[in-house]
Amino acid sequence: MRLHEYQAKRILSQRGISTPEGGVAYTPGEAHEVAAQLRGRVVVKAQVLAPGRGRAGGIRVAEGPEAAELAAQEIMSLAIGGLPVRRVLVERAIDIRRQMYMGLALQPTGEVQFTVASEAAPFTEPPRTIALDYGIGLLPFQVRELAFALGLPQRATEGMVQMGLALWDTLIATDALWVELNPLALTPVEDLVVVDSKITLDDNALYRHPELAELREAEELTPAESEARRYGLYYVGLDGNVGSLVNGAGLAMATSDAIEALGGRSANILDVGGGARAQRVAAGMNILLRDARLRSILVAIFGGITRCDEVAAGILAAIQCSGAPVPIYVRLTGTNEHEGRQMLAGAPVTLVSDLYEGARLAVATAEAA
Amino acid sequence: MSILLDAETRVLVQGITGREGRFHTQRMLDYGTKVVAGVVPGRGGEWVHGVPVFDSVREAMVATEAEASVTFVPARFATDAIYEAAFSGIKLIVSVTEGIPVHDVVRLRRFLAERNARLIGPNSPGIVVPGAAKLGIMPGSIHTPGPVGVLSRSSTLTYEIVAALSRFRLGQSTVVGIGGDYVVGTGFVELLELLNDDPDTEEVVLIGEIGGMEEQLAAEYIGSHMSKPVVAYIAGLTAPPRKRIGHPGAIVDRSDSSAQEKIEALRAAGVQVAEHPAQVAELLQAGTREGA
């Protein structure tokens, strides 16, 4: 799970990492209040989990409370990357002498990569990277060596060592997959201050961090995504017109890939998961049947734990509720396949025996429509 | 022959009295797997489908000489169960459990490496040696014995492709699901090494997806060491960046993890890459005919 900047900074400052003073505002009036407390020049930043915040006008400098309120009002009227801006971070503006980068990333190999760069990402010159042993962690000399290589003055070098060690503690203590400070600022008095930060947490470990529970509430989902999540489905929206419902993430990706490879355009990746009962399948089908963009639907099920008769019951229930506005192609194979296919015999769906054949028909229908 | 297990391997089921544990123990027994013991703390002395249940792995091993473990234990207790198996001397541990924290898996990997033990998973559908034994939740009915080794990150795609292989009369030597998590206990490379040395494996199928770098590591190994032909399928060409697709590991978050780059790395290593799952069997068959 990706964290908002203000959430990441709160976690970092709790571990002794220096971040600018500031606060979150949910209304322009609140932005005024925060700016009034800070006094002087502030930065108002959209808190939205989408890239390209700065380019979209989501970061503004303001000279005082009134200017901050106005900036907040304008930023909160934006949609960045399709997401509305619901909150802004108001922070004291920092004098920056130099912008750098520091990050820790847990690798799929189990090593942790420590990266520093003499500029903020995206880099024009290559960053400096070392692979850390997970059991030993980050050692002071390792940070010091890199700080010397960046040509940091003595005071900032020691600051970077402290910050690096605190960053490692953060990664371990929060079960994070990835922590980055970008940019990390060197101020005229040689302090290091985190200007922006990204943290990605491991969803599987959230249960042992009750103090991070509120972070989930701030997550941003489209309406279809949040409906899907309520029923335990995975839904990822794409731009096309062929909908597909499958069991298993790999199969979901493969089905979407097949649709595109056949010249079609996939509208989504919808996975009902393993062992889905009729109700969950019906919820997934309803998301598709109500999607006005769709010109055809492909259901591709390989029943292992999932039973094909449960899938068939779910499809029937959804059609009864929402109708069958577009052609539906169904490939049902695996556990209780025979029962499932029989149940669908009289339904307004076309049974196919092969996934690729189903994809071909669904694409042809969508392109002809 | 096969890799990892065979018809004689003595298997222990951790969490045998749970719904999934009970159900799949029956399926494993039906398939011919030698399930010799179950472990559930506090349930020692019970029996499940004729299999004795013990309070601890150590007790079970003393009584039954179990060699391999499959864990059907909820995520919050699974890490402990895997450590218990490894501390007790089990050398092959299959974890079906979904949702084990990533940092736990990293620590487990380090510990197991010291113990010379192997974790398959977590979030793995298991291992099947067709006609001999299966550990985990894969449907046994789709497999047929033969010379193709199958390694996969995705459960459903494994079923999809294995079923197609069987339809094409391309039997399998060993089928292993390594799991779709961000960090896994055993990666493709270790298993490719085993298949490369397995006299009963003639060809290998590699099923990958977006996220992580297992496929790139596999490509490096195949390019320099693999003596047997490999056919691959990589899912997720259409997956949008920064969105997790079901599996915790399936996310295109950094430049090294897109499906296209994985496909290119594998092709550069001499691997034939299928464009859709059913094509895997076609490519294998074409390759066999050419060779014959």
Side-chain angles (χ1 to χ4, degrees):
Chain A
M1 184 179 73
R2 305 167 85 88
L3 298 187
H4 287 284
E5 176 190 6
Y6 74 91
Q7 298 170 325
K9 282 180 166 167
R10 198 177 298 160
I11 289 172
L12 293 171
S13 75
Q14 281 163 357
R15 306 211 153 251
I17 293 178
S18 176
T19 60
E21 268 180 280
V24 184
Y26 291 83
T27 63
E30 286 175 18
H32 186 286
E33 271 172 51
V34 177
Q37 279 168 7
L38 291 173
R39 299 205 181 93
R41 218 149 65 101
V42 297
V43 184
V44 183
K45 304 168 90 176
Q47 298 300 290
V48 63
L49 294 172
R53 235 179 7 162
R55 283 193 305 281
I59 301 177
R60 306 271 294 268
V61 176
E63 290 300 336
E66 280 74 29
E69 182 172 351
L70 186 65
Q73 194 167 16
E74 286 173 12
I75 290 172
M76 288 168 125
S77 68
L78 298 172
I80 301 176
L83 295 167
V85 180
R86 296 201 177 87
R87 41 184 116 52
V88 294
L89 176 61
V90 182
E91 280 185 342
R92 188 187 300 292
I94 303 284
D95 284 334
I96 300 173
R97 193 168 104 194
R98 180 173 163 189
Q99 296 194 11
M100 297 173 291
Y101 174 98
M102 184 192 285
L104 284 170
L106 185 61
Q107 303 292 103
T109 53
E111 281 174 335
V112 178
Q113 210 166 53
F114 177 58
T115 304
V116 297
S118 65
E119 57 190 4
F123 314 113
T124 53
E125 50 185 272
R128 292 163 200 274
T129 293
I130 47 176
L132 307 177
D133 182 298
Y134 185 92
I136 296 170
L138 182 62
L139 296 166
F141 88 91
Q142 294 172 312
V143 188
R144 210 175 290 124
E145 273 184 2
L146 293 178
F148 285 136
L150 297 187
L152 282 191
Q154 182 61 31
R155 183 177 142 74
T157 296
E158 282 316 307
M160 186 173 260
V161 169
Q162 292 313 314
M163 194 173 267
L165 300 184
L167 201 61
W168 173 270
D169 287 344
T170 304
L171 182 89
I172 301 300
T174 62
D175 275 292
L177 303 179
W178 182 18
V179 183
E180 69 172 21
L181 315 178
N182 182 37
L184 169 62
L186 178 68
T187 68
V189 294
E190 298 182 358
D191 282 333
L192 292 173
V193 180
V194 175
V195 176
D196 193 2
S197 169
K198 288 194 172 64
I199 295 182
T200 300
L201 298 179
D202 176 12
D203 294 19
N204 289 343
L206 278 180
Y207 74 88
R208 56 189 178 202
H209 301 288
E211 77 284 4
L212 303 179
E214 59 118 355
L215 308 180
R216 227 224 218 273
E217 290 156 26
E219 235 188 327
E220 284 159 340
L221 301 172
T222 64
E225 280 171 348
S226 51
E227 184 181 356
R229 174 138 341 152
R230 267 203 306 281
Y231 288 98
L233 310 160
Y234 284 111
Y235 176 92
V236 175
L238 302 172
D239 295 330
N241 57 13
V242 181
S244 51
L245 179 141
V246 306
N247 62 323
L251 189 51
M253 285 186 259
T255 304
S256 175
D257 290 352
I259 288 165
E260 302 266 338
L262 287 161
R265 288 171 301 129
S266 188
N268 67 277
I269 293 175
L270 199 162
D271 173 13
V272 299
R277 307 294 292 266
Q279 196 204 6
R280 202 186 325 160
V281 175
M285 270 308 276
N286 273 323
I287 291 174
L288 296 184
L289 292 172
R290 288 192 214 119
D291 187 338
R293 301 173 303 157
L294 302 192
R295 295 288 169 267
S296 63
I297 293 172
L298 171 61
V299 178
I301 298 291
F302 200 113
I305 297 182
T306 307
R307 288 160 44 183
C308 291
D309 51 338
E310 290 284 337
V311 173
I315 294 171
L316 290 173
I319 290 175
Q320 200 156 45
C321 160
S322 310
V326 296
I328 302 168
Y329 302 95
V330 181
R331 192 286 303 256
L332 269 182
T333 190
T335 310
N336 293 358
E337 165 181 343
H338 185 68
E339 292 87 332
R341 292 176 73 98
Q342 255 180 352
M343 286 165 69
L344 291 179
V349 303
T350 307
L351 287 166
V352 298
S353 54
D354 178 76
L355 168 65
Y356 209 57
E357 183 56 25
R360 206 189 311 274
L361 289 167
V363 167
T365 306
E367 292 302 305
Chain B
M1 236 187 73
S2 53
I3 62 166
L4 302 172
L5 80 152
D6 58 35
E8 300 308 313
T9 307
R10 301 169 70 81
V11 175
L12 173 159
V13 179
Q14 291 176 270
I16 197 171
T17 55
R19 204 177 81 105
E20 296 293 320
R22 200 176 280 274
F23 179 78
H24 289 287
T25 295
Q26 183 66 62
R27 294 273 178 112
M28 288 188 277
L29 287 166
D30 293 345
Y31 202 74
T33 312
K34 273 199 178 164
V35 181
V36 296
V39 171
V40 177
R43 305 285 291 265
E46 294 182 19
W47 293 76
V48 172
H49 307 309
V51 175
V53 182
F54 299 86
D55 284 319
S56 73
V57 174
R58 213 180 293 276
E59 256 180 61
M61 286 181 71
V62 168
T64 67
E65 292 172 13
E67 305 156 283
S69 160
V70 54
T71 69
F72 292 94
V73 176
R76 291 186 192 199
F77 312 106
T79 303
D80 183 46
I82 296 167
Y83 275 119
E84 185 187 353
F87 266 100
S88 309
I90 296 276
K91 297 295 181 204
L92 174 66
I93 304 161
V94 174
S95 172
V96 172
T97 306
E98 195 176 337
I100 299 182
V102 172
H103 282 262
D104 288 3
V105 180
V106 174
R107 293 185 194 106
L108 271 167
R109 268 169 69 118
R110 296 170 50 83
F111 176 77
L112 293 173
E114 281 168 22
R115 294 265 162 159
N116 218 3
R118 198 189 295 280
L119 169 66
I120 302 291
N123 203 0
S124 157
I127 309 168
V128 178
V129 175
K134 73 167 192 144
L135 267 186
I137 60 171
M138 287 199 215
S141 59
I142 58 175
H143 298 80
T144 48
V148 182
V150 181
L151 308 177
S152 176
R153 285 180 64 200
S154 152
S155 311
T156 38
L157 279 180
T158 311
Y159 309 159
E160 190 78 36
I161 288 172
V162 165
L165 290 177
S166 291
R167 267 202 312 279
F168 276 71
R169 298 180 193 285
L170 294 161
Q172 307 91 45
S173 53
T174 310
V175 179
V176 186
I178 68 169
D181 281 5
Y182 184 68
V183 176
V184 293
T186 304
F188 279 150
V189 171
E190 282 176 73
L191 298 169
L192 283 168
E193 283 171 5
L194 296 177
L195 289 175
N196 207 22
D197 292 339
D198 175 29
D200 289 342
T201 298
E202 291 168 15
E203 294 158 306
V204 174
V205 171
L206 198 69
I207 305 166
E209 61 189 24
I210 56 161
M213 49 178 76
E214 279 301 318
E215 295 79 359
Q216 285 91 334
L217 296 171
E220 268 175 48
Y221 174 80
I222 293 166
S224 53
H225 293 95
M226 196 77 188
S227 62
K228 300 174 183 179
V230 181
V231 172
Y233 172 73
I234 307 295
L237 275 171
T238 49
R242 290 163 162 249
K243 290 275 188 186
R244 173 184 146 180
I245 315 290
H247 302 167
I251 182 164
V252 183
D253 219 2
R254 334 191 111 219
S255 55
D256 63 359
S257 56
S258 82
Q260 191 57 45
E261 277 161 317
K262 291 176 180 218
I263 290 170
E264 280 161 20
L266 287 163
R267 287 206 167 122
V271 174
Q272 282 194 282
V273 183
E275 280 168 18
H276 58 91
Q279 205 188 18
V280 169
E282 292 166 27
L283 288 175
L284 271 180
Q285 223 181 28
T288 312
R289 269 202 304 271
E290 267 167 40

